[in-house]
Amino acid sequence: MPRKVRQLIADLEKAGFESRGGKGSHRNFTHPKGLRVTVSGHTGDDAKHYQERDVKRAVAAVKG
C-alpha cells in the first residue's frame, strides 16, 4: 500500500527540510545544505512511486 503525502512531508521535516510554500497542491522544501524537493498532492492522497523515491534519496543525501 502506498504511503500518504503527509508521511513524505513528515520525513522531509524530520530530516531538516523547511517548507518554502508552493502553489496549489505543490509544496517546495529546501535544506540548508542546498537540496530542494517538490512534493505534489494533497496531504491525504496516496504518494506516487517517484515521489517516495525522490524523498528517500533526498533524506539519504542529507544524512550521508
Side-chain angles (χ1 to χ4, degrees):
M1 176 174 263
R3 300 171 68 204
K4 299 292 183 183
V5 171
R6 77 172 69 86
Q7 293 170 313
L8 300 183
I9 292 171
D11 289 347
L12 288 171
E13 290 174 343
K14 186 177 177 183
F17 284 82
E18 296 179 359
S19 178
R20 302 299 293 161
K23 188 172 184 179
S25 63
H26 289 70
R27 290 165 199 81
N28 300 306
F29 292 88
T30 59
H31 193 273
K33 289 187 176 181
L35 283 116
R36 294 193 294 181
V37 179
T38 299
V39 177
S40 62
H42 297 285
T43 55
D45 292 346
D46 290 340
K48 307 286 188 214
H49 64 90
Y50 60 85
Q51 291 174 315
E52 291 189 46
R53 179 195 65 211
D54 290 346
V55 168
K56 185 177 178 180
R57 286 181 181 171
V59 170
V62 169
K63 290 185 179 181

